[in-house]
Amino acid sequence: MTGDITLLLDKAGDGDQESLSQVYAMLYAELRRTARGLLRDGQSTLTPTVLVNEAYLRLCGGGATPSLESRKHFFATAAQAMRWIVVDHARRVLAERHGGGLVRIELDHELAQELRPDELVALDAALEQLGRVDPARKELVELRYFAGLDYAELVPLLGRSERTLKREWATARAALQMLME
């Protein structure tokens, strides 16, 4: 299936919008699982279906077909789109409440930890800062936390051992904590 996805992404890179739609359809179940993990608290007005569909619209709806080179690149782009959607939603919720201070949060190794909107906005700001200093660790956080991928799924995508990824995850969590203080 990975080969089929790569071929379809190559076609999409040449401007074939239908190929990107086929990739999306093939990976829809994985994207929904990821979205369910992100929205596990059930208190959000976002649903997994809405989140996945919004991510699709961000990826494919603008008219221009994004240049996606591989399954890894597709998931990284989808994770980033879902992150933006969830953070935008959190910002809207905060705007409705007129603020509230940013607070320190613990990034647990458990995925889909419940985050309040103010915590999610703080995490997003810290992640942007981390990305300027260490793009590889930012990508790891996006794929692990926002896309919900476990270490076994990350090894082939990132080309690093599970042990290395665990060390980098711990370092990224510590860096995000410092950036959020």
Side-chain angles (χ1 to χ4, degrees):
M1 184 167 107
T2 302
D4 294 340
I5 291 170
T6 303
L7 289 173
L8 289 169
L9 289 173
D10 286 342
K11 287 181 183 177
D14 294 335
D16 183 3
Q17 187 75 19
E18 182 59 33
S19 294
L20 190 57
S21 295
Q22 288 175 344
V23 170
Y24 173 79
M26 291 170 77
L27 299 175
Y28 184 80
E30 288 182 62
L31 291 171
R32 277 211 19 105
R33 178 183 58 88
T34 297
R36 263 193 316 276
L38 280 172
L39 303 173
R40 187 171 292 179
D41 66 358
Q43 296 178 6
S44 174
T45 56
L46 283 175
T47 65
T49 301
V50 169
L51 182 56
V52 171
N53 289 337
E54 283 292 322
Y56 174 76
L57 289 174
R58 288 209 181 183
L59 290 174
C60 308
T65 304
S67 175
L68 301 170
E69 300 158 6
S70 64
R71 179 185 171 105
K72 172 191 170 191
H73 195 198
F74 177 84
F75 271 109
T77 305
Q80 188 174 52
M82 285 194 273
R83 175 182 145 220
W84 289 338
I85 293 163
V86 171
V87 170
D88 285 348
H89 178 73
R91 284 187 178 128
R92 280 193 301 277
V93 169
L94 283 177
E96 290 172 7
R97 294 184 190 160
H98 298 287
L102 297 180
V103 295
R104 178 183 168 128
I105 64 166
E106 292 292 327
L107 258 184
D108 197 340
H109 70 281
E110 294 295 321
L111 303 178
Q113 174 185 349
E114 286 185 32
L115 291 179
R116 295 187 325 259
D118 55 336
E119 293 171 333
L120 193 55
V121 171
L123 174 59
D124 181 61
L127 196 55
E128 286 301 316
Q129 289 178 340
L130 178 64
R132 287 191 286 276
V133 176
D134 193 341
R137 290 207 172 95
K138 175 187 175 193
E139 179 183 38
L140 174 62
V141 171
E142 286 180 336
L143 289 171
R144 178 144 167 75
Y145 190 79
F146 288 96
L149 301 179
D150 61 26
Y151 293 113
E153 295 169 311
L154 290 170
V155 167
L157 288 176
L158 298 177
R160 296 189 295 274
S161 72
E162 188 169 325
R163 189 173 182 183
T164 298
L165 290 173
K166 286 179 179 179
R167 269 195 319 270
E168 289 179 359
W169 175 250
T171 303
R173 285 178 44 212
L176 288 171
Q177 287 298 332
M178 285 185 1
L179 291 170
M180 292 172 66
E181 289 181 348

